[in-house]
Amino acid sequence: MLTGAGVSAESGLGTFRDAGGIWARFDPMKLATPQAFAADPDNVHEFYNARRRNLVGARPNAGHHALVRLGEGLAERGGGLFLCTQNIDDLHEQAGSRAVHHMHGELLRALCAGCGARTVWREDLGTGTICPGCGRAGAMRPDVVWFGEMPYGLDAIEAALEESDLFVAIGTSGAVYPAAGYAAQARAWGLRTCEINLEPSDNAHVFGERLYGPASEMVPAFVAQILAEAG
């Protein structure tokens, strides 16, 4: 299972690549690269601090809760769910999902570029923030994957895909790699594939099944179908 910004849109969190998305209003090269952070850390911190404050007030929607039921239902039947998300929000966890794989990091965590320590962080970050691990100031950054950086845990994602019989992408643009390549890889391996989205993604043609509509409606319906099929 791969989720993207579309699963959290109805919880009030912006998507990125559609006409009204975050990157249509802000330049990612000035806000989401290591070079941007080195050149203007105050501006980058301001952007992510605003997003962090917005996230603290957000709540999961019916799509997130449905995925909790899916994980629990499959476990009861002797199966399992590998929930991988491109999202840096914690709405899957708020809903009750466990062991969520955040391939692009987490907004509510901070990373020290000096010592590499990762820390749960719900407050603002700034150039004067002191790392609780090494005591250094000026090296703390959001623990998120920026453009030009390697997503987290690619080996774990690959291993989970190899063991799966169904690949589902929910609310993804199909434009960001390596995540956008997993559907084609799953299809090549003979897995059942399904896209659930508000509208067709860039790689919609790769999926064997396509369901379009709000995540709060489509995901619960799909979960009910899968659990019914599982018996």
Side-chain angles (χ1 to χ4, degrees):
M1 180 76 65
L2 174 68
T3 65
V7 78
S8 296
E10 292 173 82
S11 295
L13 302 183
T15 56
F16 287 86
R17 294 180 175 274
D18 60 318
I22 291 173
W23 297 145
R25 294 178 287 122
F26 301 97
D27 184 351
M29 295 300 104
K30 295 181 179 179
L31 295 167
T33 68
Q35 294 78 13
F37 185 65
D40 192 351
D42 289 328
N43 189 44
V44 174
H45 276 310
E46 181 181 352
F47 175 73
Y48 283 97
N49 287 340
R51 295 191 62 200
R52 192 179 298 107
R53 295 185 208 113
N54 187 42
L55 172 56
V56 169
R59 295 295 177 262
N61 61 55
H64 297 102
H65 288 292
L67 294 180
V68 178
R69 294 195 297 275
L70 178 60
E72 293 173 347
L74 292 176
E76 291 170 357
R77 293 160 173 80
L81 172 67
F82 182 81
L83 180 52
C84 176
T85 186
Q86 296 173 278
N87 298 339
I88 59 175
D89 64 60
D90 69 338
L91 297 187
H92 285 305
E93 288 88 347
Q94 283 193 43
S97 289
R98 299 289 179 262
V100 182
H101 185 94
H102 285 268
M103 67 180 299
H104 290 162
E106 301 177 62
L107 186 57
L108 298 182
R109 296 184 69 86
L111 167 66
C112 178
C115 70
R118 289 183 161 87
T119 309
V120 174
W121 204 274
R122 302 181 70 87
E123 307 299 326
D124 284 359
L125 283 170
T127 53
T129 303
I130 296 174
C131 172
C134 67
R136 175 179 170 183
M140 296 290 280
R141 54 163 280 186
D143 188 11
V144 300
V145 175
W146 285 328
F147 290 96
E149 296 181 326
M150 188 68 68
Y152 295 157
L154 294 181
D155 288 345
I157 299 171
E158 188 86 8
L161 192 60
E162 289 181 355
E163 297 174 359
S164 300
D165 52 21
L166 169 64
F167 174 80
V168 183
I170 302 172
T172 67
S173 66
V176 179
Y177 287 81
Y182 291 138
Q185 189 171 343
R187 192 76 181 271
W189 288 350
L191 276 63
R192 177 182 175 185
T193 57
C194 179
E195 168 173 86
I196 303 175
N197 221 338
L198 193 59
E199 57 188 23
S201 66
D202 285 6
N203 62 344
H205 64 282
V206 173
F207 292 88
E209 302 172 43
R210 294 175 289 276
L211 303 172
Y212 298 118
S216 62
E217 299 175 11
M218 305 307 295
V219 178
F222 181 75
V223 166
Q225 174 190 333
I226 292 300
L227 292 179
E229 291 174 2

